[in-house]
Amino acid sequence: MPVGEWDAVLVGGGVMSATLAVLLAEVRPDWRIAVLERLDDAGQESSAGWNNAGTGHAGLCEFNYTPQRPDGTVDPAGAVRVAEQFAASLVFWGRLVERGVLGPPEAFVRSVPHVGLGQGTDGVAYLRARFEALRGHPLFADLEFSDDPGVLASWLPLVLAGRTDGEPVAATRAAQGTDVDYGVLTRRLLAALRERGGEVRLRTEVTSLRRRDGRWELAVRDRASGGRRRLRARWVFVGAGGGTLPLLQSARVPEVRRYGGFPISGRFLRTERPELVAAHRAKAYGSAAPGAPPISVPHLDLRVVDGRESLLFGPFAAFSPRFLTRGRRSDLARSVRLGNLPVLLASARDNRSLIAHLVRQVTAPPSTRMAALRRFVPTARDEDWTLVAAGQRVQVLKETGGRGTLVGFGTEVVTSAGGSLAGLLGASPGASTAVAAMLDVLAACFPAQADEWRPRLAGLVPPPTPEEVARARRVLGLAPVRPAVAP
Ligand SMILES: Cc1cc2nc3c(=O)[nH]c(=O)nc-3n(C[C@H](O)[C@H](O)[C@H](O)COP(=O)(O)OP(=O)(O)OC[C@H]3O[C@@H](n4cnc5c(N)ncnc54)[C@H](O)[C@@H]3O)c2cc1C
């Protein structure tokens, strides 16, 4: 095969492409596979340790997966779905660690209990109903509920300290929760790809994509030398995070003609003060403010990045017109086309509460952020916490039923040209569900190979039965799931 010809090119070196590349190399070891990344290293954008909250989203504590029905009961389906997706990720990582290709797992995943925090009479009633809806499911076997101040103080010393207002508080706790450094994981996965003969090209930016003579032609720029060249591939995946929509637009993919993108940056309050970190050994999620989007659910997280422990509280939305943290100021303006202008306008019209929320967050003085933190940590002192920037999300806007809607919750796999091109749009639940999302990409693009590939894929991602999950947790050094004693 001449130089520049590839069977598969994956654009972007984030956790999505890295996961997909390893899956693809497993089912097609004979393929020439390349991952192209514009930055100096992989896993530096949304997948970077500090650019996301590192939660292994498994529905254990996030209320946005479990809406309350009008009769007060809770629908558990969304939480069960994301729990199954995360279980697939755990099983995949476990198998790779067993094969000795991911290195020591403690560098990218560790046990950190996940706590759901209910505040106020309604918050506590909701949490109790949520607990009742989930407790019978095997993936939630260790979920515990308590409104006993003594128990709560042992689970959440920092959150309970200094509470004098008598507000009802309750919590659920799942010791099986995890904190994940998706940046380290990404680089480990790409190292595994290299060992299998795949190529990872850094400082290589894809500037456009074109379909030509039954192949995809990628124009690339070497960011070190400034040199330009072209690559050809039979199959392309665009996993470029915030860079995905512009590239699909450049490829004139009809499926995204009416899609728009709106960037929202995340910021967190962070502390490394040892007494505070020692008093909060959990990820505690609360309820989003009325009208606020699911991505704004407040949470106080124990994080471990580069071996250092800290607490993060947020996220707080901020605005930047860039689609990537290291993108261009012109990204938003350049994404506006005649085809998507009506959707952008309809989205502005139909998402007023979200826009109002954003404006409030962007213009909020520091005291507002500290007030939000004090809802979680009443004793929080200004001098202990610093505001830090996290990653950039591009919320996809599209038209659904005549309304401009925001693909705020859930990712969307777009395929085009008979499945020879796929792209991942949307931001949540994100990195946690990379394995499930990338298996969807393979299924959508290669339906004819499904039967042939199934056994190999099942060797790497076996169905996440309780036994498989227990095995993966053992291999990954995570706390075993101990069924909770009925209250
Ligand atoms: C504030 C915040 C908090 C989050 N918290 C969580 C969480 O707790 N748990 C969770 O599971 N998920 C979380 N997420 C979501 C998660 O971070 C993302 O879903 C995930 O990292 C996306 O991975 P990716 O590979 O698609 O994108 P990225 O990691 O952004 O990777 C895309 C890569 O493509 C490269 N690229 C872009 N354009 C080009 C181009 N033209 N040519 C070559 N390379 C290109 C970029 O440099 C980048 O390295 C959070 C996100 C944010 C912003």
Side-chain angles (χ1 to χ4, degrees):
M1 208 178 269
V3 178
E5 290 278 346
W6 298 89
D7 293 301
V9 167
L10 288 70
V11 184
V15 72
M16 296 296 175
S17 288
T19 302
L20 180 59
V22 171
L23 291 170
L24 200 55
E26 178 76 7
V27 291
R28 291 309 305 246
D30 54 324
W31 273 16
R32 293 194 74 211
I33 301 172
V35 173
L36 311 180
E37 166 56 50
R38 67 192 285 268
L39 298 179
D40 294 348
D41 203 354
Q44 302 294 313
E45 279 284 344
S46 286
S47 304
W50 286 125
N51 283 356
N52 59 70
T55 303
H57 287 300
L60 300 167
C61 59
E62 310 86 341
F63 300 163
N64 35 17
Y65 300 118
T66 43
Q68 195 160 24
R69 302 186 184 105
D71 67 357
T73 60
V74 161
D75 179 359
V80 171
R81 193 171 51 249
V82 74
E84 286 166 351
Q85 291 173 333
F86 185 66
S89 293
L90 280 183
V91 165
F92 173 70
W93 303 337
R95 284 295 162 108
L96 291 175
V97 168
E98 280 178 0
R99 291 184 186 185
V101 294
L102 276 194
E106 61 273 18
F108 65 88
V109 64
R110 64 190 62 226
S111 288
V112 174
H114 283 190
V115 171
L117 188 66
Q119 288 174 276
T121 309
D122 290 349
V124 170
Y126 166 76
L127 194 68
R128 197 184 287 277
R130 185 181 195 274
F131 172 66
E132 292 302 331
L134 291 172
R135 63 191 290 200
H137 196 281
L139 287 167
F140 296 84
D142 68 340
L143 197 65
E144 297 174 87
F145 173 91
S146 186
D147 55 5
D148 177 322
V151 173
L152 295 178
S154 71
W155 287 353
L156 298 166
L158 187 63
V159 173
L160 265 284
R163 278 189 190 268
T164 51
D165 58 5
E167 184 188 45
V169 180
T172 54
R173 182 178 188 269
Q176 64 170 300
T178 49
D179 180 57
V180 186
D181 186 329
Y182 293 106
V184 171
L185 175 67
T186 300
R187 289 183 286 281
R188 293 276 175 88
L189 288 167
L190 290 176
L193 174 74
R194 280 196 184 102
E195 274 175 28
R196 289 160 167 251
E199 202 160 315
V200 180
R201 293 194 180 176
L202 302 174
R203 294 174 284 278
T204 302
E205 176 160 14
V206 178
T207 54
S208 72
L209 263 174
R210 282 276 179 289
R211 187 89 177 136
R212 210 162 268 162
D213 306 329
R215 292 276 191 279
W216 285 100
E217 199 170 272
L218 297 95
V220 300
R221 189 171 72 92
D222 182 326
R223 284 175 40 113
S225 68
R228 291 175 186 274
R229 57 181 308 214
R230 288 180 188 278
L231 303 178
R232 280 160 55 86
R234 289 199 288 135
W235 188 72
V236 171
F237 172 68
V238 187
T244 297
L245 184 64
L247 275 178
L248 294 180
Q249 286 177 327
S250 89
R252 303 206 183 101
V253 168
E255 289 80 358
V256 303
R257 211 171 66 83
R258 292 172 158 283
Y259 284 20
F262 188 77
I264 302 179
S265 337
R267 289 184 293 177
F268 287 97
L269 287 169
R270 183 163 97 201
T271 183
E272 291 194 332
R273 217 183 146 90
E275 311 88 276
L276 302 180
V277 176
H280 187 72
R281 314 301 294 171
K283 286 171 172 279
Y285 278 61
S287 307
I295 54 164
S296 67
V297 168
H299 46 99
L300 177 67
D301 289 48
L302 172 64
R303 294 296 326 271
V304 187
V305 177
D306 300 331
R308 278 167 58 194
E309 292 190 340
S310 57
L311 299 185
L312 282 190
F313 178 77
F316 300 101
F319 176 74
S320 151
R322 297 174 212 271
F323 277 8
L324 294 159
T325 58
R326 289 182 242 180
R328 299 177 185 88
R329 294 190 69 81
S330 56
D331 284 342
L332 176 57
R334 285 153 60 122
S335 74
V336 180
R337 309 278 163 102
L338 267 183
N340 66 15
L341 191 58
V343 173
L344 290 169
L345 295 174
S347 300
R349 182 195 64 209
D350 298 333
N351 291 281
R352 294 222 181 97
S353 66
L354 170 65
I355 293 167
H357 169 79
L358 273 179
V359 170
R360 272 197 308 275
Q361 291 255 301
V362 171
T363 55
S367 58
T368 314
R369 288 188 283 273
M370 285 306 293
L373 172 60
R374 286 192 187 103
R375 286 278 294 149
F376 269 64
V377 182
T379 53
R381 302 182 314 175
D382 292 16
E383 59 270 33
D384 292 334
W385 296 81
T386 319
L387 189 65
V388 293
Q392 189 78 354
R393 301 185 202 241
V394 175
Q395 301 296 140
V396 173
L397 309 170
K398 64 178 191 178
E399 197 189 273
T400 320
R403 292 172 61 82
T405 59
L406 183 117
V407 186
F409 207 50
T411 39
E412 183 154 326
V413 173
V414 173
T415 60
S416 190
S420 63
L421 176 75
L424 186 78
L425 296 167
S428 194
S432 314
T433 59
V435 175
M438 295 304 101
L439 287 173
D440 285 349
V441 168
L442 291 182
C445 293
F446 302 100
Q449 284 84 348
D451 288 340
E452 184 195 335
W453 290 1
R454 193 167 295 115
R456 274 179 172 266
L457 284 177
L460 206 49
V461 196
T465 59
E467 296 72 35
E468 280 297 343
V469 173
R471 171 175 162 178
R473 295 186 71 87
R474 228 178 6 256
V475 171
L476 295 168
L478 300 174
V481 180
R482 296 193 199 287
V485 182

